[in-house]
Amino acid sequence: GAGVSQSPRYKVAKRGQDVALRCDPISGHVSLFWYQQALGQGPEFLTYFQNEAQLDKSGLPSDRFFAERPEGSVSTLKIQRTQQEDSAVYLCASSFRRDTEAFFGQGTRLTVV
Amino acid sequence: DQQVKQNSPSLSVQEGRISILNCDYTNSMFDYFLWYKKYPAEGPTFLISISSIKDKNEDGRFTVFLNKSAKHLSLHIVPSQPGDSAVYFCAASVGNQFYFGTGTSLTVIP
């Protein structure tokens, strides 16, 4: 596709449930980012991939959060044992290089009930 | 610790007038700055960027100004149009990370 695609668009999870969020970046983009955006806030960095290598995961809030990009294209953000505070929009972005503008997907809105 | 700050949560401007959105940052190591525009239920859309070696970048109705000594970034939209109504985020980059402000909601009144 022409842009970054994320699925699902909306996810409602019961507290304690595991979820997996998918990101299809723009073809050929080396860099991939995951962000978490709470209501009324700007996106907060979670993790960064360069191809299949996860070079920075300093923003992941806990060890319940795990991200992978095994073949250097599609990425999955997994949240285990979801908590209410995990409710947010999760944004994926990709860029051609680390130092060029990142293009965002529409996000996945996760609601933990 | 918020490294990028947008102190105005909202701004209203008449159609045809200039919109000025402001952004302040604290980290002098930031080397790349961007503005994103966001409509409800959509992801942020890249608007314009500027490298730290420049002080101005212009693209059509949009101009970004960078004042490194003041650690201040601004976006000028002129003339403003109703379709510009959205939330605008500024972002700054160092290393692998982009740091975002909390956004300014712009309303352009017809």
Side-chain angles (χ1 to χ4, degrees), chain A residues 9-10 33 35 37 40-45 48 55-56 58 91 98-106, chain B residues 2 31-32 34 36 38 41-46 49 89 93-103:
Chain A
R9 285 293 310 277
Y10 303 93
F33 306 83
Y35 285 83
Q37 185 174 16
Q41 301 296 315
E44 296 273 350
F45 172 81
Y48 163 71
L55 298 186
D56 189 340
S58 62
L91 293 164
R98 174 186 63 78
D99 57 347
T100 57
E101 62 270 18
F103 294 86
F104 283 82
Q106 292 179 301
Chain B
Q2 193 77 20
D31 57 5
Y32 189 55
L34 310 92
Y36 282 85
K38 186 180 183 303
E42 294 185 11
T45 302
F46 170 74
S49 64
F89 292 96
S93 171
V94 60
N96 302 321
Q97 297 193 23
F98 290 87
Y99 295 85
F100 285 81
T102 53

Tab-separated table of all heavy atoms in Angstrom, chain A residues 9-10 33 35 37 40-45 48 55-56 58 91 98-106, chain B residues 2 31-32 34 36 38 41-46 49 89 93-103:
chain	number	residue	atom	x	y	z
A	9	ARG	N	-8.012	-1.399	13.823
A	9	ARG	CA	-8.175	0.034	14.105
A	9	ARG	C	-8.620	0.240	15.549
A	9	ARG	O	-8.230	1.211	16.197
A	9	ARG	CB	-9.223	0.637	13.172
A	9	ARG	CG	-8.771	0.857	11.744
A	9	ARG	CD	-7.683	1.924	11.629
A	9	ARG	NE	-8.014	3.165	12.335
A	9	ARG	CZ	-8.759	4.129	11.853
A	9	ARG	NH1	-9.314	4.011	10.660
A	9	ARG	NH2	-8.981	5.243	12.552
A	10	TYR	N	-9.451	-0.672	16.032
A	10	TYR	CA	-9.964	-0.583	17.394
A	10	TYR	C	-9.867	-1.965	18.033
A	10	TYR	O	-10.103	-2.974	17.388
A	10	TYR	CB	-11.430	-0.119	17.400
A	10	TYR	CG	-11.649	1.199	16.707
A	10	TYR	CD1	-12.006	1.248	15.363
A	10	TYR	CD2	-11.478	2.403	17.390
A	10	TYR	CE1	-12.181	2.465	14.717
A	10	TYR	CE2	-11.661	3.620	16.752
A	10	TYR	CZ	-12.016	3.640	15.421
A	10	TYR	OH	-12.192	4.845	14.789
A	33	PHE	N	8.931	2.884	13.924
A	33	PHE	CA	8.751	3.379	15.296
A	33	PHE	C	7.368	2.979	15.810
A	33	PHE	O	6.406	2.943	15.051
A	33	PHE	CB	8.814	4.915	15.335
A	33	PHE	CG	10.043	5.524	14.721
A	33	PHE	CD1	10.125	5.720	13.357
A	33	PHE	CD2	11.102	5.929	15.506
A	33	PHE	CE1	11.252	6.307	12.775
A	33	PHE	CE2	12.227	6.522	14.950
A	33	PHE	CZ	12.303	6.694	13.582
A	35	TYR	N	4.683	4.297	18.846
A	35	TYR	CA	4.383	5.355	19.795
A	35	TYR	C	3.086	5.032	20.517
A	35	TYR	O	2.211	4.358	19.974
A	35	TYR	CB	4.215	6.712	19.085
A	35	TYR	CG	5.505	7.339	18.640
A	35	TYR	CD1	6.099	6.977	17.441
A	35	TYR	CD2	6.142	8.295	19.431
A	35	TYR	CE1	7.303	7.542	17.043
A	35	TYR	CE2	7.334	8.867	19.042
A	35	TYR	CZ	7.907	8.481	17.850
A	35	TYR	OH	9.094	9.047	17.451
A	37	GLN	N	-0.054	7.071	22.400
A	37	GLN	CA	-0.632	8.394	22.588
A	37	GLN	C	-1.844	8.307	23.504
A	37	GLN	O	-2.871	7.726	23.135
A	37	GLN	CB	-1.029	9.027	21.254
A	37	GLN	CG	-1.518	10.466	21.403
A	37	GLN	CD	-1.777	11.145	20.080
A	37	GLN	OE1	-1.876	10.501	19.045
A	37	GLN	NE2	-1.892	12.458	20.109
A	40	GLY	N	-5.283	13.526	24.891
A	40	GLY	CA	-4.834	14.878	25.201
A	40	GLY	C	-3.333	15.055	25.265
A	40	GLY	O	-2.845	16.127	25.625
A	41	GLN	N	-2.605	14.024	24.898
A	41	GLN	CA	-1.138	14.087	24.931
A	41	GLN	C	-0.560	13.910	23.540
A	41	GLN	O	-1.245	13.473	22.617
A	41	GLN	CB	-0.589	13.000	25.856
A	41	GLN	CG	-1.073	13.093	27.293
A	41	GLN	CD	-0.593	14.353	27.962
A	41	GLN	OE1	0.572	14.736	27.856
A	41	GLN	NE2	-1.500	15.049	28.648
A	42	GLY	N	0.713	14.241	23.408
A	42	GLY	CA	1.404	13.947	22.174
A	42	GLY	C	1.879	12.505	22.171
A	42	GLY	O	1.887	11.833	23.205
A	43	PRO	N	2.254	12.005	21.010
A	43	PRO	CA	2.772	10.626	20.947
A	43	PRO	C	4.031	10.473	21.804
A	43	PRO	O	4.900	11.336	21.784
A	43	PRO	CB	3.090	10.449	19.458
A	43	PRO	CG	2.233	11.450	18.746
A	43	PRO	CD	2.140	12.624	19.674
A	44	GLU	N	4.100	9.374	22.527
A	44	GLU	CA	5.260	9.061	23.358
A	44	GLU	C	5.992	7.860	22.758
A	44	GLU	O	5.381	6.824	22.490
A	44	GLU	CB	4.819	8.731	24.786
A	44	GLU	CG	4.157	9.885	25.519
A	44	GLU	CD	5.150	10.772	26.226
A	44	GLU	OE1	6.341	10.405	26.319
A	44	GLU	OE2	4.725	11.855	26.691
A	45	PHE	N	7.292	8.017	22.590
A	45	PHE	CA	8.112	6.974	21.967
A	45	PHE	C	8.092	5.684	22.783
A	45	PHE	O	8.215	5.700	24.013
A	45	PHE	CB	9.545	7.494	21.853
A	45	PHE	CG	10.545	6.471	21.405
A	45	PHE	CD1	10.685	6.163	20.061
A	45	PHE	CD2	11.336	5.800	22.327
A	45	PHE	CE1	11.618	5.215	19.647
A	45	PHE	CE2	12.267	4.856	21.923
A	45	PHE	CZ	12.395	4.564	20.583
A	48	TYR	N	12.087	1.501	18.590
A	48	TYR	CA	12.573	1.808	17.249
A	48	TYR	C	13.278	0.591	16.655
A	48	TYR	O	14.065	-0.068	17.334
A	48	TYR	CB	13.531	2.998	17.320
A	48	TYR	CG	14.401	3.171	16.097
A	48	TYR	CD1	13.851	3.614	14.895
A	48	TYR	CD2	15.763	2.894	16.133
A	48	TYR	CE1	14.646	3.772	13.770
A	48	TYR	CE2	16.568	3.057	15.014
A	48	TYR	CZ	16.007	3.492	13.831
A	48	TYR	OH	16.782	3.653	12.721
A	55	LEU	N	16.739	-1.404	17.856
A	55	LEU	CA	17.884	-0.646	18.342
A	55	LEU	C	17.600	0.165	19.595
A	55	LEU	O	18.538	0.571	20.293
A	55	LEU	CB	18.411	0.280	17.243
A	55	LEU	CG	18.925	-0.402	15.973
A	55	LEU	CD1	19.547	0.618	15.033
A	55	LEU	CD2	19.914	-1.512	16.297
A	56	ASP	N	16.330	0.398	19.849
A	56	ASP	CA	15.996	1.228	21.006
A	56	ASP	C	14.644	0.790	21.523
A	56	ASP	O	13.659	0.846	20.787
A	56	ASP	CB	15.981	2.709	20.604
A	56	ASP	CG	15.850	3.663	21.791
A	56	ASP	OD1	15.400	3.233	22.868
A	56	ASP	OD2	16.187	4.848	21.619
A	58	SER	N	13.811	1.796	24.804
A	58	SER	CA	13.835	2.510	26.080
A	58	SER	C	12.476	3.056	26.492
A	58	SER	O	12.262	3.342	27.667
A	58	SER	CB	14.859	3.641	26.019
A	58	SER	OG	14.508	4.575	25.025
A	91	LEU	N	0.442	4.136	17.843
A	91	LEU	CA	0.784	4.610	16.510
A	91	LEU	C	2.070	3.951	16.033
A	91	LEU	O	3.033	3.815	16.793
A	91	LEU	CB	0.984	6.126	16.517
A	91	LEU	CG	-0.246	6.980	16.797
A	91	LEU	CD1	0.163	8.398	17.168
A	91	LEU	CD2	-1.155	7.008	15.583
A	98	ARG	N	16.622	6.977	9.361
A	98	ARG	CA	16.392	7.420	10.731
A	98	ARG	C	16.180	8.927	10.801
A	98	ARG	O	15.375	9.403	11.581
A	98	ARG	CB	17.596	7.030	11.596
A	98	ARG	CG	17.539	7.550	12.998
A	98	ARG	CD	18.817	7.242	13.749
A	98	ARG	NE	19.974	7.886	13.180
A	98	ARG	CZ	20.278	9.164	13.349
A	98	ARG	NH1	19.509	9.945	14.056
A	98	ARG	NH2	21.369	9.668	12.795
A	99	ASP	N	16.870	9.674	9.967
A	99	ASP	CA	16.853	11.123	10.111
A	99	ASP	C	15.959	11.822	9.085
A	99	ASP	O	16.143	12.982	8.786
A	99	ASP	CB	18.280	11.667	9.986
A	99	ASP	CG	18.944	11.285	8.662
A	99	ASP	OD1	18.402	10.405	7.969
A	99	ASP	OD2	19.988	11.853	8.331
A	100	THR	N	14.993	11.101	8.562
A	100	THR	CA	14.014	11.731	7.671
A	100	THR	C	12.635	11.656	8.320
A	100	THR	O	12.452	10.958	9.312
A	100	THR	CB	13.982	11.036	6.303
A	100	THR	OG1	13.688	9.641	6.495
A	100	THR	CG2	15.316	11.155	5.605
A	101	GLU	N	11.695	12.383	7.727
A	101	GLU	CA	10.380	12.446	8.358
A	101	GLU	C	9.739	11.072	8.415
A	101	GLU	O	9.895	10.247	7.531
A	101	GLU	CB	9.460	13.428	7.612
A	101	GLU	CG	9.165	13.072	6.175
A	101	GLU	CD	10.162	13.676	5.204
A	101	GLU	OE1	11.267	14.078	5.643
A	101	GLU	OE2	9.847	13.752	4.010
A	102	ALA	N	9.024	10.845	9.503
A	102	ALA	CA	8.321	9.589	9.699
A	102	ALA	C	6.873	9.751	9.276
A	102	ALA	O	6.243	10.774	9.536
A	102	ALA	CB	8.405	9.168	11.166
A	103	PHE	N	6.348	8.728	8.640
A	103	PHE	CA	4.963	8.710	8.201
A	103	PHE	C	4.182	7.771	9.110
A	103	PHE	O	4.591	6.633	9.332
A	103	PHE	CB	4.876	8.251	6.741
A	103	PHE	CG	5.515	9.214	5.782
A	103	PHE	CD1	6.872	9.145	5.503
A	103	PHE	CD2	4.768	10.210	5.178
A	103	PHE	CE1	7.479	10.041	4.636
A	103	PHE	CE2	5.356	11.117	4.308
A	103	PHE	CZ	6.716	11.039	4.041
A	104	PHE	N	3.076	8.269	9.607
A	104	PHE	CA	2.314	7.536	10.600
A	104	PHE	C	1.151	6.766	9.992
A	104	PHE	O	0.540	7.195	9.002
A	104	PHE	CB	1.745	8.493	11.655
A	104	PHE	CG	2.757	8.946	12.660
A	104	PHE	CD1	3.619	9.989	12.368
A	104	PHE	CD2	2.859	8.324	13.894
A	104	PHE	CE1	4.563	10.406	13.301
A	104	PHE	CE2	3.795	8.737	14.827
A	104	PHE	CZ	4.641	9.778	14.525
A	105	GLY	N	0.825	5.655	10.635
A	105	GLY	CA	-0.424	4.975	10.351
A	105	GLY	C	-1.563	5.636	11.103
A	105	GLY	O	-1.372	6.619	11.824
A	106	GLN	N	-2.754	5.097	10.930
A	106	GLN	CA	-3.942	5.682	11.563
A	106	GLN	C	-4.035	5.336	13.041
A	106	GLN	O	-4.801	5.944	13.771
A	106	GLN	CB	-5.199	5.213	10.846
A	106	GLN	CG	-5.320	5.766	9.434
A	106	GLN	CD	-6.575	5.251	8.753
A	106	GLN	OE1	-6.755	4.055	8.602
A	106	GLN	NE2	-7.442	6.154	8.343
B	2	GLN	N	9.132	16.820	29.997
B	2	GLN	CA	8.686	17.148	28.646
B	2	GLN	C	9.779	17.949	27.949
B	2	GLN	O	10.050	19.091	28.307
B	2	GLN	CB	7.381	17.962	28.747
B	2	GLN	CG	6.631	18.106	27.462
B	2	GLN	CD	5.856	16.852	27.085
B	2	GLN	OE1	5.580	16.012	27.904
B	2	GLN	NE2	5.518	16.747	25.816
B	31	ASP	N	18.448	17.870	16.435
B	31	ASP	CA	19.034	18.314	15.181
B	31	ASP	C	18.038	18.325	14.020
B	31	ASP	O	18.403	18.650	12.887
B	31	ASP	CB	20.252	17.452	14.824
B	31	ASP	CG	19.926	15.971	14.742
B	31	ASP	OD1	18.737	15.608	14.860
B	31	ASP	OD2	20.870	15.171	14.588
B	32	TYR	N	16.820	17.984	14.303
B	32	TYR	CA	15.828	17.920	13.228
B	32	TYR	C	14.467	18.170	13.856
B	32	TYR	O	14.148	17.588	14.902
B	32	TYR	CB	15.900	16.530	12.579
B	32	TYR	CG	15.101	16.338	11.319
B	32	TYR	CD1	15.269	17.167	10.217
B	32	TYR	CD2	14.199	15.285	11.208
B	32	TYR	CE1	14.554	16.968	9.048
B	32	TYR	CE2	13.481	15.088	10.039
B	32	TYR	CZ	13.663	15.928	8.974
B	32	TYR	OH	12.953	15.727	7.816
B	34	LEU	N	10.142	18.880	13.213
B	34	LEU	CA	9.056	18.607	12.280
B	34	LEU	C	7.744	19.135	12.841
B	34	LEU	O	7.577	19.273	14.052
B	34	LEU	CB	8.895	17.092	12.065
B	34	LEU	CG	10.137	16.274	11.735
B	34	LEU	CD1	10.773	15.712	13.011
B	34	LEU	CD2	9.782	15.126	10.807
B	36	TYR	N	3.617	18.135	12.503
B	36	TYR	CA	2.629	17.172	12.041
B	36	TYR	C	1.243	17.761	12.280
B	36	TYR	O	1.014	18.513	13.222
B	36	TYR	CB	2.745	15.852	12.802
B	36	TYR	CG	3.876	14.962	12.351
B	36	TYR	CD1	5.166	15.133	12.851
B	36	TYR	CD2	3.665	13.951	11.423
B	36	TYR	CE1	6.205	14.333	12.437
B	36	TYR	CE2	4.704	13.130	11.002
B	36	TYR	CZ	5.968	13.324	11.521
B	36	TYR	OH	6.987	12.521	11.107
B	38	LYS	N	-2.871	16.639	12.618
B	38	LYS	CA	-3.673	15.455	12.930
B	38	LYS	C	-5.154	15.784	12.940
B	38	LYS	O	-5.602	16.667	13.670
B	38	LYS	CB	-3.251	14.877	14.286
B	38	LYS	CG	-3.929	13.555	14.616
B	38	LYS	CD	-3.492	13.039	15.950
B	38	LYS	CE	-4.122	11.680	16.237
B	38	LYS	NZ	-5.586	11.703	16.172
B	41	ALA	N	-9.319	10.755	14.649
B	41	ALA	CA	-9.366	9.353	14.221
B	41	ALA	C	-8.372	9.036	13.097
B	41	ALA	O	-8.496	8.014	12.428
B	41	ALA	CB	-10.771	8.937	13.791
B	42	GLU	N	-7.404	9.925	12.896
B	42	GLU	CA	-6.361	9.629	11.924
B	42	GLU	C	-4.999	9.759	12.597
B	42	GLU	O	-4.854	10.408	13.631
B	42	GLU	CB	-6.430	10.587	10.739
B	42	GLU	CG	-7.688	10.429	9.908
B	42	GLU	CD	-7.651	11.315	8.670
B	42	GLU	OE1	-6.594	11.882	8.361
B	42	GLU	OE2	-8.709	11.448	8.026
B	43	GLY	N	-3.992	9.148	11.984
B	43	GLY	CA	-2.635	9.329	12.484
B	43	GLY	C	-2.097	10.678	12.078
B	43	GLY	O	-2.618	11.332	11.177
B	44	PRO	N	-1.050	11.149	12.756
B	44	PRO	CA	-0.437	12.421	12.373
B	44	PRO	C	0.090	12.374	10.938
B	44	PRO	O	0.616	11.356	10.495
B	44	PRO	CB	0.715	12.563	13.373
B	44	PRO	CG	0.363	11.681	14.520
B	44	PRO	CD	-0.394	10.539	13.927
B	45	THR	N	-0.065	13.483	10.245
B	45	THR	CA	0.412	13.616	8.870
B	45	THR	C	1.558	14.611	8.834
B	45	THR	O	1.416	15.727	9.340
B	45	THR	CB	-0.721	14.112	7.949
B	45	THR	OG1	-1.811	13.201	8.029
B	45	THR	CG2	-0.252	14.198	6.508
B	46	PHE	N	2.658	14.204	8.234
B	46	PHE	CA	3.810	15.097	8.146
B	46	PHE	C	3.459	16.350	7.350
B	46	PHE	O	2.827	16.278	6.296
B	46	PHE	CB	4.975	14.359	7.486
B	46	PHE	CG	6.127	15.246	7.133
B	46	PHE	CD1	6.960	15.727	8.113
B	46	PHE	CD2	6.347	15.621	5.821
B	46	PHE	CE1	8.012	16.571	7.802
B	46	PHE	CE2	7.394	16.451	5.493
B	46	PHE	CZ	8.226	16.925	6.478
B	49	SER	N	9.367	20.209	7.723
B	49	SER	CA	10.472	19.963	8.643
B	49	SER	C	11.568	21.002	8.444
B	49	SER	O	11.569	21.758	7.465
B	49	SER	CB	11.045	18.568	8.419
B	49	SER	OG	11.615	18.460	7.129
B	89	PHE	N	1.099	19.072	15.947
B	89	PHE	CA	2.141	18.635	16.864
B	89	PHE	C	3.499	19.064	16.325
B	89	PHE	O	3.783	18.872	15.148
B	89	PHE	CB	2.149	17.108	17.011
B	89	PHE	CG	0.961	16.541	17.712
B	89	PHE	CD1	-0.118	16.049	16.994
B	89	PHE	CD2	0.925	16.488	19.094
B	89	PHE	CE1	-1.225	15.517	17.649
B	89	PHE	CE2	-0.167	15.956	19.757
B	89	PHE	CZ	-1.246	15.469	19.033
B	93	SER	N	13.950	15.743	16.977
B	93	SER	CA	14.628	14.463	16.850
B	93	SER	C	16.085	14.554	17.279
B	93	SER	O	16.781	15.519	16.958
B	93	SER	CB	14.554	13.992	15.395
B	93	SER	OG	15.370	12.874	15.178
B	94	VAL	N	16.504	13.532	17.990
B	94	VAL	CA	17.918	13.306	18.247
B	94	VAL	C	18.096	11.797	18.340
B	94	VAL	O	17.278	11.099	18.938
B	94	VAL	CB	18.398	14.006	19.536
B	94	VAL	CG1	17.649	13.527	20.764
B	94	VAL	CG2	19.906	13.824	19.714
B	95	GLY	N	19.143	11.288	17.699
B	95	GLY	CA	19.300	9.845	17.686
B	95	GLY	C	18.128	9.169	16.999
B	95	GLY	O	17.687	9.576	15.937
B	96	ASN	N	17.629	8.130	17.641
B	96	ASN	CA	16.552	7.341	17.039
B	96	ASN	C	15.173	7.851	17.391
B	96	ASN	O	14.185	7.312	16.909
B	96	ASN	CB	16.646	5.887	17.511
B	96	ASN	CG	17.975	5.257	17.168
B	96	ASN	OD1	18.504	5.504	16.104
B	96	ASN	ND2	18.515	4.469	18.079
B	97	GLN	N	15.077	8.822	18.243
B	97	GLN	CA	13.784	9.164	18.808
B	97	GLN	C	13.268	10.499	18.309
B	97	GLN	O	14.013	11.431	18.091
B	97	GLN	CB	13.874	9.206	20.326
B	97	GLN	CG	14.224	7.871	20.955
B	97	GLN	CD	14.008	7.879	22.448
B	97	GLN	OE1	13.232	8.682	22.971
B	97	GLN	NE2	14.675	6.993	23.155
B	98	PHE	N	11.970	10.537	18.143
B	98	PHE	CA	11.256	11.782	17.915
B	98	PHE	C	10.484	12.097	19.195
B	98	PHE	O	9.759	11.257	19.707
B	98	PHE	CB	10.267	11.653	16.753
B	98	PHE	CG	10.918	11.517	15.398
B	98	PHE	CD1	11.276	10.283	14.915
B	98	PHE	CD2	11.158	12.630	14.619
B	98	PHE	CE1	11.881	10.149	13.663
B	98	PHE	CE2	11.746	12.517	13.364
B	98	PHE	CZ	12.109	11.267	12.888
B	99	TYR	N	10.609	13.306	19.682
B	99	TYR	CA	9.896	13.757	20.867
B	99	TYR	C	8.816	14.730	20.422
B	99	TYR	O	9.102	15.681	19.695
B	99	TYR	CB	10.848	14.442	21.847
B	99	TYR	CG	11.898	13.528	22.424
B	99	TYR	CD1	13.079	13.292	21.745
B	99	TYR	CD2	11.694	12.883	23.634
B	99	TYR	CE1	14.052	12.443	22.255
B	99	TYR	CE2	12.662	12.040	24.165
B	99	TYR	CZ	13.830	11.822	23.467
B	99	TYR	OH	14.784	10.980	23.979
B	100	PHE	N	7.609	14.482	20.877
B	100	PHE	CA	6.476	15.281	20.445
B	100	PHE	C	5.988	16.210	21.555
B	100	PHE	O	6.047	15.875	22.742
B	100	PHE	CB	5.310	14.368	20.040
B	100	PHE	CG	5.495	13.698	18.710
B	100	PHE	CD1	6.277	12.564	18.590
B	100	PHE	CD2	4.888	14.212	17.572
B	100	PHE	CE1	6.463	11.950	17.352
B	100	PHE	CE2	5.053	13.601	16.334
B	100	PHE	CZ	5.837	12.472	16.231
B	101	GLY	N	5.469	17.348	21.133
B	101	GLY	CA	4.737	18.206	22.046
B	101	GLY	C	3.335	17.663	22.264
B	101	GLY	O	2.950	16.642	21.674
B	102	THR	N	2.565	18.343	23.085
B	102	THR	CA	1.219	17.873	23.421
B	102	THR	C	0.165	18.347	22.438
B	102	THR	O	-0.988	17.967	22.550
B	102	THR	CB	0.825	18.317	24.836
B	102	THR	OG1	1.021	19.727	24.940
B	102	THR	CG2	1.663	17.611	25.884
B	103	GLY	N	0.568	19.178	21.486
B	103	GLY	CA	-0.348	19.566	20.427
B	103	GLY	C	-1.055	20.887	20.681
B	103	GLY	O	-1.283	21.301	21.815
